[in-house]
Amino acid sequence: MRKHLSPGLVLLLLFFVAAAALPFFVDPRGHLLRVAAMALLFAAMAQSWNIVGGLANQVSLGHAAFFGLGAYTSTLLFLRFGISPWIGMFAGAALAAFAAALLSFPTFRLKGHYFALATLAFAEVLRVIANSWASVTGGPVGLSIPFLGTKPELFAFRAVSSYYWIILALLVIVCLAFRLLARGAIGYRLRAVRENENAAEVAGVDTFRVKLTASIISAAFTALCGTVFAQFTFFFDPDSIFALSGISVRMAMIAIVGGLGTLGGPIIGALFLIPLEEVANAYLSSAAAGLSQFVFGAILVAAILIQPRGLMAYWPKSKAGRLARKDAKPVTPATPATEGGR
Amino acid sequence: MTVISANRRRALAVLLGATVLATGIGAGGARAADEVVVGVVQPLSGPNAQFGIGSLRGTELAADMINAAGGIKSLGGAKIKLVVADVPTPNTAAATTQRLISQNGVSAVVGAFVSSTTLAASEVTERAGIPLVTFAFADQITGRGYKYAFQVSPKGTVFGAAQFDYAMAIAKAAGEKIDKVAILYEDTAYGTAQAQGLRDAAKKAGVQVVMDEAYPLGITDVAPLVNKLKASGAQMAFPVSYLNDGLLIIRSLRQQQIDMPVIGGAAGYIIPDFKKGLGDYAEGVISVAAAGGDLIPDLAAKYKEKYGTFITHEALIHAAALDAVAKAMEKAKSSDPEKVRDALATLDDCTGLAQGVPGGCVKFDATGLNTSAFPIMVQWRGDELVTVYPEKAAKSKPMWHGKPIP
């Protein structure tokens, strides 16, 4: 039991409590809360990605596909049939899970870069479909979430704080799912796949099935995030929701900068990157065109160069942290560098 | 060990706290009583940057002119202060617009040029009750029954129809009978909306559309498109494109010695870079436009003096948009967003920078659309664009196949 209450976990629980209280201390309709909500949403997205990208090391660059499926499914069900986005979000999750299963058959035979490229292409295909099948998707003009005032049953609120708490709840659920998966039997199998897929197969792990399960769960959570994103930002179009740099890469980047395959990584990554980007935008975008993105990119590069294991390496009592500290010592022949040099 | 981890924890907490707090800096900053704040959201980086920068220049020039002429007189000569934000994609539009509203306390927002970004921004301004005055074309902007969105120029479908009808009228005046045309458009919100307008107008006129083709934004090989266009037997082509695709299409056509009249769909066809990229091939290309510098020579001269190029239509319309906001404040004797919105809704102004808009006035109907504006046709003559159609706005006769129309 003691094992489950590591300092890191206590800190995480404290963070959730503090995050839940934040709206009481800032302007409930203001910009700060909106940025905080966006950071938490991206944390939830990166955590969803982390299930397949971190645990199984299947680096997907196409998670925007599931994100967009979630946003489109719930929004179209609401606009065309009046079905509440609360129900629509689960329809979107089911559809994304199905799409993930379908995508797994051809792509899981691919390794490394080829897998990344195949997933990237999948998101691009969905973008083109959403763009050209205008009679169903609304086409390139995009979809607006109608302005309804506060209607909780239709996922519509005036105050940012309502969205904020929903996003926080989603993040807690995704984190819980991640921890259960990582700690459960499937987590060990996924790690076996990550370390050496052939060895795992020989040891009796049904590697395809394990990866399939992880990617279905990951896709479903990503779709839930997509619905919440659509409701929260009120508008999306094919280019923005299926975006490579804006969504797919960002999900992976947050998890990587924070700490790949760790529970806290996506949260720290999102809390670091999203406000940073916002600050860069707020203070530099009027100075010179593109300067804000340049500064943001430079800080990102620096972060990865300084700590390739991600910010989680500074987290107390974490596996990544221990490893990073071990790495920091002068390498003696007694400490094999396989883990770090891989 | 415990000391180290406590230190680490503290360091982490400080780091996170600092990043979160940093976003709050500037909130509630004191505002000088003698200035009014207007937000400007434009794509200043990314693929639409040159249009965003042109739009920003127009807005800044308008602010300078209004301030130099004494600011908002009914507010004791208050000066206009612009708060500029870069919005390269629609994804960031909501958060950025929210920032301008809650941190900078803007009285109104001008801009966004790109339709999708404007739609995203309008969802925030509508919920916050802040007027948004825009140049973006998309029909939906004022087609949703929103109270706070104002469109200074006509809608995308109107532009498409005008691109077709005006071109047919010019061809007719030149004595050429057109019964086959081609439509090429990029698959963006702007491209599809305008193509729809073209298609409907062609149908109405009983003209056969022998080619109707969408292509992706950022296309790099237009040879298949141009070959298809050549084989289609079209007498006139209507491409709707941003800059690079437009350049490629025209260059390929002219290199293949096809002198089919090309009627561009605004955007990339009417900015200085079009001429820079095409050289002599640009001569005589006609395009629909929302405004022309020769309609308001005074502003056009000031612009050229300051920025070294001719004034683009996005600069003209955004100047008029900011001017409308200023006049609304003047009329409302207030910078309260609600009062500015009401004054905009009842604005009927045909002076100053409003003259840059064809029709010469800014007057919004119940949906927020400027009722007096209409599209015009401009034609490349040397390094400049000349307004050639319709006659009520024209400064010169159009040239057809290189010859002036009698």
Side-chain angles (χ1 to χ4, degrees):
Chain A
M1 209 50 217
R2 238 188 76 74
K3 198 176 73 180
H4 290 269
L5 276 177
S6 65
L9 202 60
V10 170
L11 209 56
L12 188 66
L13 291 175
L14 282 177
F15 163 74
F16 282 139
V17 172
L22 180 71
F24 296 110
F25 299 101
V26 299
D27 176 9
R29 297 171 73 114
H31 175 244
L32 179 63
L33 199 58
R34 180 167 272 278
V35 175
M38 205 43 115
L40 295 183
L41 180 59
F42 269 98
M45 288 158 67
Q47 192 69 283
S48 310
W49 181 90
N50 207 15
I51 291 173
V52 62
L55 289 182
N57 201 24
Q58 303 287 311
V59 174
S60 155
L61 291 182
H63 259 54
F66 311 121
F67 190 69
L69 275 178
Y72 265 105
T73 308
S74 63
T75 308
L76 287 173
L77 283 176
F78 177 61
L79 292 177
R80 304 252 194 275
F81 306 105
I83 296 171
S84 164
W86 286 115
I87 299 167
M89 70 192 284
F90 292 100
L95 191 65
F98 179 70
L102 214 60
L103 183 68
S104 295
F105 286 98
T107 57
F108 274 171
R109 302 187 189 290
L110 304 172
K111 301 255 158 68
H113 307 118
Y114 299 101
F115 175 77
L117 286 177
T119 52
L120 190 152
F122 180 60
E124 189 60 14
V125 165
L126 288 189
R127 185 190 71 80
V128 171
I129 292 174
N131 232 350
S132 31
W133 197 12
S135 54
V136 172
T137 62
V141 178
L143 294 173
S144 284
I145 310 295
F147 179 29
L148 303 164
T150 296
K151 289 226 172 78
E153 73 279 12
L154 293 178
F155 209 133
F157 307 93
R158 271 178 194 281
V160 177
S161 51
S162 311
Y163 292 101
Y164 176 88
W165 279 313
I166 291 168
I167 289 168
L168 182 64
L170 181 64
L171 174 62
V172 171
I173 292 169
V174 182
C175 286
L176 209 62
F178 179 87
R179 189 172 158 83
L180 288 176
L181 283 172
R183 289 285 168 125
I186 190 172
Y188 288 100
R189 296 196 183 108
L190 282 169
R191 275 193 288 277
V193 169
R194 180 180 68 185
E195 299 305 326
N196 187 330
E197 197 167 337
N198 292 333
E201 187 80 44
V202 169
V205 175
D206 185 346
T207 56
F208 182 82
R209 201 174 144 186
V210 169
K211 287 196 285 181
L212 182 67
T213 313
S215 71
I216 285 177
I217 295 171
S218 171
F221 277 123
T222 307
L224 294 181
C225 295
T227 299
V228 175
F229 177 84
Q231 293 296 324
F232 182 53
T233 56
F234 321 122
F235 172 87
F236 62 93
D237 65 356
D239 284 350
S240 59
I241 205 89
F242 292 116
L244 175 64
S245 62
I247 306 292
S248 290
V249 171
R250 188 159 307 200
M251 287 168 81
M253 195 170 75
I254 287 169
I256 293 167
V257 167
L260 197 60
T262 60
L263 177 63
I267 300 173
I268 294 191
L271 288 184
F272 173 64
L273 288 183
I274 303 295
L276 177 71
E277 190 175 20
E278 196 55 38
V279 170
N281 239 328
Y283 292 97
L284 300 173
S285 77
S286 54
L291 182 65
S292 59
Q293 278 107 317
F294 180 80
V295 168
F296 175 66
I299 293 177
L300 204 62
V301 170
I304 284 291
L305 283 179
I306 293 167
Q307 185 45 270
R309 288 181 174 281
L311 299 172
M312 267 306 274
Y314 302 112
W315 188 263
K317 285 275 170 92
S318 76
K319 185 165 170 262
R322 279 201 304 275
L323 286 170
R325 264 165 259 156
K326 212 182 282 171
D327 274 1
K329 287 175 193 160
V331 180
T332 61
T335 42
T338 48
E339 184 69 19
R342 194 167 44 83
Chain B
M1 186 63 201
T2 46
V3 176
I4 291 166
S5 64
N7 277 342
R8 273 184 202 284
R9 246 174 285 170
R10 196 175 305 141
L12 196 69
V14 168
L15 189 77
L16 290 180
T19 23
V20 172
L21 273 179
T23 60
I25 296 172
R31 198 193 313 164
D34 56 347
E35 65 183 22
V36 289
V37 185
V38 177
V40 180
V41 285
Q42 294 291 356
L44 301 174
S45 58
N48 290 308
Q50 57 203 122
F51 300 103
I53 291 166
S55 305
L56 176 61
R57 285 175 172 179
T59 319
E60 283 179 339
L61 187 58
D64 290 349
M65 287 170 75
I66 294 163
N67 288 342
I72 314 288
K73 293 181 191 78
S74 68
L75 291 175
K79 298 279 186 278
I80 293 180
K81 184 182 169 226
L82 299 179
V83 185
V84 181
D86 178 16
V87 188
T89 68
N91 273 354
T92 55
T96 307
T97 310
Q98 182 81 52
R99 187 185 82 221
L100 295 182
I101 294 167
S102 54
Q103 281 194 15
N104 302 101
V106 297
S107 303
V109 176
V110 170
F113 182 79
V114 179
S115 292
S116 54
T117 306
T118 309
L119 282 166
S122 72
E123 297 291 346
V124 175
T125 51
E126 186 72 19
R127 282 161 172 84
I130 306 281
L132 170 75
V133 188
T134 184
F135 169 47
F137 286 176
D139 288 37
Q140 286 86 340
I141 290 169
T142 51
R144 294 168 297 175
Y146 280 6
K147 268 178 69 189
Y148 294 87
F150 296 93
Q151 219 167 1
V152 182
S153 56
K155 298 180 173 193
T157 46
V158 175
F159 270 94
Q163 191 183 353
F164 186 85
D165 294 341
Y166 289 3
M168 292 300 282
I170 295 171
K172 197 177 165 199
E176 190 171 346
K177 189 172 165 5
I178 306 277
D179 41 30
K180 286 178 182 167
V181 298
I183 303 171
L184 302 76
Y185 60 100
E186 48 157 58
D187 63 356
T188 60
Y190 142 77
T192 42
Q194 203 155 321
Q196 188 59 43
L198 280 166
R199 211 171 285 134
D200 294 346
K203 202 172 165 192
K204 220 162 110 191
V207 172
Q208 198 190 347
V209 179
V210 290
M211 179 180 172
D212 187 347
E213 194 127 324
Y215 61 84
L217 176 63
I219 188 171
T220 49
D221 180 14
V222 296
L225 274 179
V226 170
N227 288 338
K228 200 169 169 190
L229 178 60
K230 202 173 165 185
S232 70
Q235 295 159 290
M236 199 155 59
F238 294 98
V240 184
S241 21
Y242 281 105
L243 180 65
N244 290 332
D245 39 353
L247 293 180
L248 285 170
I249 290 169
I250 304 282
R251 194 180 296 131
S252 314
L253 271 177
R254 296 301 185 234
Q255 278 169 351
Q256 295 196 34
Q257 313 282 322
I258 307 172
D259 80 331
M260 171 193 304
V262 176
I263 316 295
Y269 288 87
I270 47 175
I271 53 176
D273 284 356
F274 184 78
K275 166 79 185 179
K276 255 188 242 160
L278 282 178
D280 290 343
Y281 288 148
E283 187 68 21
V285 170
I286 298 177
S287 174
V288 72
D294 52 4
L295 301 180
I296 180 163
D298 177 37
L299 179 66
K302 281 206 176 84
Y303 188 94
K304 189 152 194 174
E305 190 189 325
K306 189 163 180 192
Y307 301 109
T309 60
F310 71 81
I311 189 164
T312 54
H313 76 156
E314 61 266 18
L316 284 162
I317 298 285
H318 278 102
L322 184 70
D323 193 49
V325 170
K327 279 172 180 146
M329 286 177 179
E330 189 78 70
K331 195 173 143 194
K333 300 182 178 61
S334 166
S335 61
D336 176 58
E338 199 64 42
K339 289 181 180 141
V340 175
R341 183 255 155 218
D342 291 341
L344 273 169
T346 55
L347 193 69
D348 184 0
D349 175 69
C350 303
T351 60
L353 300 179
Q355 291 163 4
V357 184
C361 300
V362 173
K363 180 181 197 292
F364 299 107
D365 67 7
T367 68
L369 182 69
N370 182 5
T371 46
S372 77
F374 55 84
I376 56 169
M377 279 290 192
V378 293
Q379 186 165 35
W380 279 97
R381 303 273 170 82
D383 289 330
E384 303 281 334
L385 286 167
V386 178
T387 305
V388 294
Y389 200 85
E391 267 152 40
K392 56 186 166 178
K395 301 288 170 198
S396 168
K397 288 263 183 199
M399 309 273 278
W400 196 251
H401 287 295
K403 289 184 281 289
I405 289 176

